Amino acid sequence: MKKLHLIIVCFWFFQPIIAKAKPVKGISDFDGGFKGVERITFECPVNNERNIQRSNDEFDGQQPKEKCWVDFHPTYLNVMNKQVINKKDVISFWQSPPQSGKCCASWNLIYKDVEGKNKILSMRKKEFPFPLTKRKLKILGTPSNIINRWLAQ
């Protein structure tokens, strides 16, 4: 009788492990891999030089909106072909939601530079005023999705 109880108890312990092995369709069956190169675009920091000389020697006070970008490769980040950050140098990641709903969601990575000092790579988007629609929420979630999958590899 004790052997039967022992078998039942062992079955109860192993049953959750067996259930965890199979993914649930539409819930836990998504591909979490990171293949190839994925890009995150964001607003560039403000440049104090706002005068642009046109071909007819007139100056325009408006600067065209420039998009900055970071390419996520499997083992490193390429920041606009100006900087390479190795994955092994990345310490942590956090996302800052828009504080007022009117400005600046940001995705931030702390990394060690070549001198061993901690630096922050901050990618900001300013295009998310309330009300947040499904489209805006998807745009907000995409950079986090890319960064988390990249870090998990």
Side-chain angles (χ1 to χ4, degrees), residues 88-107:
K88 63 181 174 67
D89 295 331
V90 174
I91 299 168
S92 67
F93 160 69
W94 79 96
Q95 178 181 353
S96 301
Q99 294 175 356
S100 65
K102 295 181 180 177
C103 177
C104 309
S106 66
W107 296 266

Side-chain angles (χ1 to χ4, degrees), residues 23-55:
V24 178
K25 186 174 181 172
I27 296 173
S28 64
D29 63 343
F30 299 106
D31 182 16
F34 192 87
K35 300 169 187 130
V37 178
E38 296 192 46
R39 177 172 283 188
I40 294 176
T41 59
F42 55 96
E43 280 84 17
C44 291
V46 178
N47 187 354
N48 291 335
E49 297 178 20
R50 293 190 175 257
N51 292 331
I52 300 171
Q53 188 170 4
R54 295 187 184 227
S55 60

Side-chain angles (χ1 to χ4, degrees), residues 46-97:
V46 178
N47 187 354
N48 291 335
E49 297 178 20
R50 293 190 175 257
N51 292 331
I52 300 171
Q53 188 170 4
R54 295 187 184 227
S55 60
N56 59 359
D57 293 334
E58 292 179 14
F59 286 95
D60 184 11
Q62 294 291 329
Q63 187 175 11
K65 269 194 167 180
E66 185 182 358
K67 288 284 185 183
C68 290
W69 52 269
V70 174
D71 282 340
F72 286 77
H73 295 263
T75 58
Y76 66 94
L77 300 174
N78 175 2
V79 184
M80 299 170 43
N81 291 331
K82 296 179 181 180
Q83 180 186 18
V84 171
I85 300 171
N86 291 318
K87 187 177 190 178
K88 63 181 174 67
D89 295 331
V90 174
I91 299 168
S92 67
F93 160 69
W94 79 96
Q95 178 181 353
S96 301

Side-chain angles (χ1 to χ4, degrees), residues 1-9:
M1 189 67 166
K2 289 184 181 183
K3 289 182 183 180
L4 180 61
H5 288 293
L6 184 62
I7 292 171
I8 291 173
V9 169

